[in-house]
Amino acid sequence: MDLKLRSITDLPKGAGPIQFFSGFGDTAALMLTVASPKETEVAISLRAKEIASAIKATRGGGVDRSKRATVVVAFR
């Protein structure tokens, strides 16, 4: 696996280096982290307002607030 990962050489500028750690016994995991260009505070604020509005619309009313949870997964 380490050799296969090290053969990846066409990463974008600033990406890498790829690190491979194999000392976890029988546990297998692969973590791939991808970063995107930074958003402005205005763009984040607008998106947060849209998410808050969607949560309020979906929840409706009448449910005990102490027994609710909201999970948000944002992607483009």
Side-chain angles (χ1 to χ4, degrees):
M1 178 63 106
D2 187 31
L3 283 173
K4 195 167 214 169
L5 290 173
R6 289 183 189 276
S7 70
I8 300 172
T9 58
D10 58 346
L11 295 172
K13 181 180 178 185
I18 294 175
Q19 297 177 333
F20 180 76
F21 300 102
S22 61
F24 298 106
D26 291 335
T27 303
L30 174 63
M31 181 173 69
L32 176 63
T33 305
V34 179
S36 63
K38 291 186 178 185
E39 286 282 3
T40 65
E41 287 186 38
V42 172
I44 293 171
S45 177
L46 290 172
R47 183 161 309 172
K49 286 180 183 179
E50 290 175 9
I51 291 170
S53 177
I55 290 169
K56 287 177 187 174
T58 301
R59 283 183 172 174
V63 178
D64 181 0
R65 290 182 180 204
S66 68
K67 297 182 182 189
R68 296 194 287 199
T70 301
V71 176
V72 176
V73 178
F75 58 90
R76 289 181 97 165

